[in-house]
Amino acid sequence: MIVTTLRNSLPRPAVRLTRCRLCARSRRSFSSSNSALHPTAPISALTPPILGSLTGELDKLAPRFEIRANQICVIKTPSEFYSALKDRILKAERRIFLSTLYIGKTEHELIDILREALRRQPKLKVSILSDALRGTRETPNPSCASLLVPLISEFGADRVEIRMYHTPNLKGLKKKIVPQRLNEGWGLQHMKLYGIDDEIIMSGANLSTDYFTNRQDRYHIFSCPNLTGYFAGIHHAMSSISYNVLPGPKEQGGYALEWPESNPAPIPTEEPKEFQIAATSLLAPLIRPKLTPTKSPSSTPKTVVYPLAQFTPLLYPQDTSTEHPALSSVLRLLSSDAFADSRWVFTAGYFNIHTQLKKLLLASKSVEGIVVTAAPEANGFYGSKGVSGMLPAAYTLMARRFLDDVIKVGKGDKILLKEWRRGTIGKDPDAWTYHAKGVWISLPNEDDPSITLIGSSNYTKRSYSLDLEIDALVVTEDEGLKKALGEEVAWLQDNARTVTMQDFERTERRVSLKVKLALWIVKAIGGQL
């Protein structure tokens, strides 16, 4: 095996959904009251050919899982997410697998809960996958890696596995000169998979205090053994081509990284092309459609889930990622006459939408489209020191450009841009940040969405070229689930306000030349926001 220290090498029906007690109960309309551009249409019978055409196309792109609607629970707040996670960990019997960008370096309660679960169940195994750049950034000070490694010392490597993925895109001279606070711009392990036994929580949230308290995200709990098993396979495959974290010298953070000889790929920073080839042989078969879809007990499934993966930096020579093609297929439907009376909502906390996706949204014939993003004061980087402090202004610039494009295509009366804000981070003690990302589509003449996409992707060029992303696309005819999705998209707009070009022209919203230059430099040397 190859052992390396991190400091030197890693300078980041109508069925009520009652299964989950945390599911929201309040009834909301699909569009919030201050945003509806048109009167809400009455609910009418679903038109099966519309969804049938979509699922027929998706069946050719990704694995298909037919499930019951009451196997999906939509929860609302960061605290509910944390409670659901802790509760399930403590009850775990066989396996816990957590894929995340990082675990906060002070999340001692979460580690204690994992420790308690391991003590309760001698057969329980825990596997955690995070990102090497983000997870070791603070070395030799406390970091994600130093927080986790005591679990290995206490319970052994046969029961606890800690892995850290390193992008093949950051290597050589570039790796040496790019500052640690910026090196994440060349690619991260960005998947969010929180699996416990036969359940999985899909989210865009990482595992740190702000995501448990005051950073709004999305959270769907899938209680389906087959689907959870599928995502476990993705998690373990990615872990097998990542660094292994082991106890190490205290002066180097208390841990070391090794590249086990059992890994089916070489070290990504030393042999990036060979690493990609090996990763492709491992991952490409997992994200292809199954020859025989996993079916539900019902002969006429009302809910289908498609796992979507974006593994662009690993797939060579052909990128067979599924998220971007699948989302493009979904959004392309919006420009068809059959969807002329549809409605859609798109949200991303860090708004830098991929050019192709933006074109598809602008081409939609829907009667209403809403884009929700974080106001600068609700951006997680607001008030940060150094270069990262420029990011809220950078995302503001991109939002302004999007709204300008909306106006240019003559759809200012059909597509709204909204900014989410709940106080000002760094100034108001009760302020929140906004990190939600997703898409919801309501079919013609229907109140609530039949289609939603949830997961880790921010839908940016970086998401589709540098990061590892995983999502779940849900297509349903079930009235109970549609209602839950309608409630979700409505409460996410409770703190959102429509913005106009006049808002962007205010003095405090103007973007400096310094920010524009910084954006240009990052892109010029191969990074992305």
Side-chain angles (χ1 to χ4, degrees):
M1 72 179 178
I2 301 172
V3 178
T4 178
T5 61
L6 297 182
R7 187 176 186 183
N8 294 330
S9 65
L10 300 172
R12 226 229 19 72
V15 177
R16 287 299 296 163
L17 303 182
T18 57
R19 183 179 183 90
C20 176
R21 60 183 174 83
L22 293 172
C23 285
R25 300 295 182 187
S26 61
R27 178 69 178 111
R28 311 282 188 92
S29 63
F30 179 44
S31 299
S32 61
S33 58
N34 70 339
S35 68
L37 299 172
H38 301 272
T40 302
I43 295 178
S44 63
L46 186 69
T47 308
I50 293 180
L51 289 183
S53 174
L54 173 61
T55 56
E57 190 167 350
L58 294 173
D59 287 342
K60 301 174 185 177
L61 289 173
R64 169 189 176 111
F65 291 85
E66 298 173 1
I67 69 174
R68 298 187 306 275
N70 65 359
Q71 291 177 289
I72 303 176
C73 176
V74 182
I75 57 178
K76 182 177 181 180
T77 66
S79 60
E80 288 173 341
F81 164 56
Y82 191 33
S83 294
L85 183 66
K86 291 189 294 183
D87 180 66
R88 282 159 174 77
I89 288 174
L90 286 173
K91 294 177 181 177
E93 297 179 353
R94 296 180 291 108
R95 65 180 177 187
I96 297 172
F97 63 94
L98 308 174
S99 300
T100 189
L101 174 59
Y102 66 98
I103 296 179
K105 59 187 178 183
T106 60
E107 294 308 313
H108 300 292
E109 181 186 43
L110 180 60
I111 302 307
D112 285 342
I113 289 171
L114 287 168
R115 182 176 288 112
E116 178 62 24
L118 286 160
R119 288 172 179 165
R120 289 183 182 183
Q121 294 290 344
K123 294 183 179 180
L124 176 66
K125 294 190 176 182
V126 173
S127 176
I128 299 174
L129 170 67
S130 67
D131 184 76
L133 297 174
R134 185 63 180 270
T136 65
R137 189 169 63 187
E138 300 88 352
T139 302
N141 296 320
S143 65
C144 172
S146 64
L147 177 77
L148 294 171
V149 77
L151 291 175
I152 300 173
S153 300
E154 184 171 351
F155 297 99
D158 59 327
R159 295 189 65 198
V160 178
E161 175 189 57
I162 311 297
R163 293 284 188 145
M164 290 194 165
Y165 165 87
H166 193 294
T167 177
N169 291 325
L170 189 65
K171 57 187 182 298
L173 180 62
K174 190 184 299 181
K175 182 178 174 66
K176 294 180 180 179
I177 65 174
V178 174
Q180 291 183 6
R181 289 286 294 178
L182 291 180
N183 60 16
E184 299 171 19
W186 277 261
L188 295 169
Q189 190 310 100
H190 200 248
M191 300 188 301
K192 315 299 193 306
L193 295 172
Y194 306 129
I196 299 96
D197 289 339
D198 290 332
E199 290 187 313
I200 187 163
I201 304 176
M202 297 289 293
S203 180
N206 294 303
L207 302 180
S208 65
T209 300
D210 48 354
Y211 290 97
F212 300 151
T213 55
N214 65 346
R215 178 165 291 187
Q216 183 65 60
D217 214 297
R218 296 178 67 204
Y219 329 91
H220 286 199
I221 304 173
F222 295 83
S223 302
C224 176
N226 288 331
L227 185 63
T228 303
Y230 172 83
F231 283 122
I234 294 289
H235 168 93
H236 291 297
M238 202 64 71
S239 295
S240 75
I241 53 172
S242 299
Y243 281 98
N244 197 22
V245 181
L246 294 175
K250 290 185 178 180
E251 62 271 18
Q252 295 175 355
Y255 66 90
L257 292 185
E258 68 156 4
W259 193 264
E261 294 179 0
S262 59
N263 279 13
I267 298 176
T269 55
E270 295 181 3
E271 302 177 72
K273 192 62 63 180
E274 291 74 13
F275 173 81
Q276 288 175 306
I277 293 172
T280 300
S281 66
L282 182 68
L283 296 169
L286 295 179
I287 64 177
R288 294 188 188 122
K290 296 182 180 179
L291 295 177
T292 305
T294 303
K295 294 186 177 295
S296 67
S298 171
S299 59
T300 56
K302 289 184 174 292
T303 303
V304 181
V305 179
Y306 294 93
L308 303 178
Q310 198 69 32
F311 296 155
T312 301
L314 300 182
L315 300 178
Y316 178 86
Q318 181 181 2
D319 183 4
T320 56
S321 295
T322 54
E323 191 222 305
H324 189 272
L327 181 54
S328 298
S329 296
V330 172
L331 298 184
R332 198 172 291 116
L333 286 176
L334 298 175
S335 62
S336 67
D337 292 336
F339 273 76
D341 293 320
S342 64
R343 292 175 171 81
W344 55 264
V345 174
F346 174 97
T347 190
Y350 303 138
F351 187 73
N352 182 17
I353 186 171
H354 189 279
T355 302
Q356 182 181 346
L357 301 182
K358 179 174 72 172
K359 289 180 179 178
L360 291 171
L361 290 179
L362 294 177
S364 69
K365 295 182 179 179
S366 304
V367 295
E368 180 180 84
I370 298 173
V371 172
V372 183
T373 188
E377 298 84 357
N379 187 296
F381 295 99
Y382 186 78
S384 296
K385 297 179 180 179
V387 177
S388 60
M390 299 182 189
L391 291 175
Y395 288 117
T396 292
L397 176 63
M398 295 166 192
R400 174 176 180 151
R401 288 173 177 172
F402 172 80
L403 186 56
D404 188 47
D405 289 336
V406 169
I407 294 170
K408 285 179 180 177
V409 298
K411 294 192 175 178
D413 62 333
K414 290 189 174 183
I415 299 177
L416 294 178
L417 176 65
K418 303 177 106 185
E419 287 186 341
W420 192 98
R421 181 179 178 183
R422 185 171 170 178
T424 300
I425 284 296
K427 294 184 178 179
D428 302 330
D430 297 326
W432 286 34
T433 55
Y434 186 76
H435 195 254
K437 59 280 299 264
V439 178
W440 300 259
I441 296 175
S442 179
L443 297 183
N445 301 317
E446 290 210 341
D447 275 334
D448 295 318
S450 293
I451 302 166
T452 193
L453 180 64
I454 182 169
S456 64
S457 179
N458 287 305
Y459 316 118
T460 64
K461 185 174 181 180
R462 170 174 161 175
S463 297
Y464 297 127
S465 59
L466 297 173
D467 291 346
L468 307 183
E469 309 283 8
I470 199 81
D471 297 82
L473 180 63
V474 180
V475 182
T476 187
E477 297 180 20
D478 183 87
E479 294 299 333
L481 179 53
K482 288 194 293 184
K483 182 178 179 180
L485 296 176
E487 291 170 348
E488 177 190 39
V489 77
W491 77 54
L492 284 173
Q493 295 180 68
D494 280 347
N495 295 291
R497 180 184 70 88
T498 301
V499 292
T500 66
M501 290 303 292
Q502 286 70 32
D503 291 304
F504 287 118
E505 289 168 1
R506 299 200 313 267
T507 301
E508 65 270 21
R509 298 301 299 272
R510 292 176 183 171
V511 179
S512 69
L513 180 61
K514 181 173 66 173
V515 171
K516 295 177 181 178
L517 180 61
L519 277 174
W520 181 84
I521 291 173
V522 169
K523 292 180 181 179
I525 58 178
Q528 292 290 339
L529 291 185

